[in-house]
Amino acid sequence: MADEIRILGRLDPDSQLNLIVRLLEWTVEVLPSGARELLEGEGRGAVDAALDYVRAAAAGSPPDVELEEFEELEDQLSELADEVELQDLWQLFVALSDSVGVSAVDVTVDFTWTIMSACYDAIRDCEDLPELPLGTAEPVVLDVERANANCMRAIEYQKQLVRTAAQE
């Protein structure tokens, strides 16, 4: 992904925020059915509200809401991230919470990369990958992840998303 990080550096903040919107939407859409079922109810409402705020910010018209409303949504996402039954989705909740209330002027390459990493981690965490002992060499961990079709799909999607954003 080193090439994609360099490409991100050439994107303006508006393009990066639009990329973040597409990535968050895609991540929610491709979650395994069991994980999507866990989002029903309060969780889905928080995810949808967060996506709406991020979409509005990317469109250049942040919603006309009080700071308190953003903070309440961030708190709700944080609480969801702490729920044991939703532990596989905690990275998604963190990515959404971090993105709520962010305008394009606040978006940096590091921020975009952080959101990309969290979205990948959410996909990875929903997979039934073998538990590796603490201290396992990074190449071994990466080999296990790359052997998983959904992890590879997430990696390829993110690479393509960055390349497409650079061409727009």
Side-chain angles (χ1 to χ4, degrees), residues 1-23 104 107-117 157-167:
M1 295 278 287
D3 290 340
E4 285 71 24
I5 294 173
R6 281 192 291 281
I7 294 170
L8 278 177
R10 296 192 304 259
L11 296 178
D12 61 71
D14 287 317
S15 297
Q16 289 183 57
L17 186 54
N18 281 302
L19 181 150
I20 288 168
V21 169
R22 288 183 291 214
L23 177 60
V107 177
T108 64
V109 172
D110 287 340
F111 178 79
T112 302
W113 181 249
T114 297
I115 301 303
M116 290 175 70
S117 296
Y157 178 79
Q158 288 191 7
K159 287 181 176 184
Q160 186 58 45
L161 187 62
V162 171
R163 288 186 214 117
T164 299
Q167 294 172 356

Side-chain angles (χ1 to χ4, degrees), residues 3-4 20 29 47 52-53 65 67 77-79 82 91 98 100 130 135 140 152 159 161 165:
D3 290 340
E4 285 71 24
I20 288 168
E29 287 174 25
V47 168
D52 287 345
Y53 286 143
V65 296
L67 179 61
L77 290 164
S78 180
E79 288 172 15
D82 289 340
Q91 289 277 16
D98 288 350
V100 167
V140 173
M152 281 308 299
K159 287 181 176 184
L161 187 62

Side-chain angles (χ1 to χ4, degrees), residues 26 30-31 148-158:
W26 182 85
V30 301
L31 290 171
N148 179 279
N150 287 333
C151 288
M152 281 308 299
R153 184 169 67 150
I155 291 168
E156 291 305 318
Y157 178 79
Q158 288 191 7

Side-chain angles (χ1 to χ4, degrees), residues 4-167:
E4 285 71 24
I5 294 173
R6 281 192 291 281
I7 294 170
L8 278 177
R10 296 192 304 259
L11 296 178
D12 61 71
D14 287 317
S15 297
Q16 289 183 57
L17 186 54
N18 281 302
L19 181 150
I20 288 168
V21 169
R22 288 183 291 214
L23 177 60
L24 289 167
E25 291 171 336
W26 182 85
T27 302
V28 171
E29 287 174 25
V30 301
L31 290 171
S33 60
R36 281 196 312 272
E37 287 173 14
L38 291 173
L39 285 178
E40 294 308 315
E42 178 186 358
R44 188 62 200 210
V47 168
D48 289 344
L51 285 171
D52 287 345
Y53 286 143
V54 180
R55 283 185 199 109
S61 58
D64 186 26
V65 296
E66 300 293 322
L67 179 61
E68 183 177 296
E69 289 180 56
F70 281 125
E71 289 173 348
E72 286 176 19
L73 181 57
E74 289 171 337
D75 288 345
Q76 188 177 13
L77 290 164
S78 180
E79 288 172 15
L80 290 167
D82 289 340
E83 290 189 24
V84 174
E85 64 272 6
L86 299 174
Q87 68 184 2
D88 290 345
L89 300 173
W90 77 275
Q91 289 277 16
L92 174 63
F93 297 131
V94 169
L96 288 165
S97 178
D98 288 350
S99 299
V100 167
V102 171
S103 64
V105 297
D106 300 320
V107 177
T108 64
V109 172
D110 287 340
F111 178 79
T112 302
W113 181 249
T114 297
I115 301 303
M116 290 175 70
S117 296
C119 287
Y120 170 77
D121 290 345
I123 298 296
R124 183 204 57 220
D125 291 349
C126 287
E127 294 301 307
D128 190 23
L129 299 177
E131 288 290 324
L132 299 172
L134 190 61
T136 300
E138 185 176 357
V140 173
V141 173
L142 293 175
D143 286 345
V144 168
E145 291 177 12
R146 289 184 182 129
N148 179 279
N150 287 333
C151 288
M152 281 308 299
R153 184 169 67 150
I155 291 168
E156 291 305 318
Y157 178 79
Q158 288 191 7
K159 287 181 176 184
Q160 186 58 45
L161 187 62
V162 171
R163 288 186 214 117
T164 299
Q167 294 172 356

